[in-house]
Amino acid sequence: MLSHALEQGVLVLSIHDVVDGGRGALLTEITDLVHACKPAPVVIILADPAANRTALGVVLRAHRLCSSLGIMMSVATHSALARRRLEEDADTSGIRLVVHARTDTAIATTAYTAAA
């Protein structure tokens, strides 16, 4: 369901698959990893099968968490529909959610921006 790595000082979380009943467990796991790696910025990668409404809801909640902690967060997904939904529904009161089509661009941009 979720894998993680540290790349270029960025916590990279890859969501591979989300089932409706797994939303709470996934959010808890993301929360624990964000707190453990704080203040590292976060990139969430949504694989195509995982780019569903349940996963998007988890990503948006993770963004609110990161924003409240002052942590930059980006998302990478190939799904144009998922990118549009994330951009439309993202919380705009804190740190802006940046959505990318490519994983390598998301990680490099997040690392560069965090270091600046």
Side-chain angles (χ1 to χ4, degrees), residues 20-35:
D20 289 333
R23 179 182 179 151
L26 179 60
L27 189 56
T28 299
E29 193 171 353
I30 290 171
T31 300
D32 291 346
L33 287 165
V34 167
H35 281 288

Side-chain angles (χ1 to χ4, degrees), residues 26-112:
L26 179 60
L27 189 56
T28 299
E29 193 171 353
I30 290 171
T31 300
D32 291 346
L33 287 165
V34 167
H35 281 288
C37 295
K38 189 171 84 171
V42 176
V43 170
I44 295 181
I45 301 166
L46 282 176
D48 287 338
N52 58 38
R53 284 223 180 257
T54 302
L56 297 180
V58 169
V59 168
L60 291 171
R61 294 211 34 204
H63 174 247
R64 285 193 296 275
L65 166 72
C66 288
S67 185
S68 72
L69 295 171
I71 297 172
M72 179 184 355
M73 185 182 126
S74 298
V75 178
T77 181
H78 292 294
S79 169
L81 178 60
R83 288 194 307 270
R84 276 193 305 274
R85 286 186 176 157
L86 287 168
E87 288 169 349
E88 290 170 0
D89 297 339
D91 183 8
T92 58
S93 64
I95 298 173
R96 182 175 172 261
L97 178 65
V98 180
V99 183
H100 298 272
R102 294 177 40 152
T103 299
D104 58 340
T105 304
I107 295 169
T109 303
T110 302
Y112 178 79

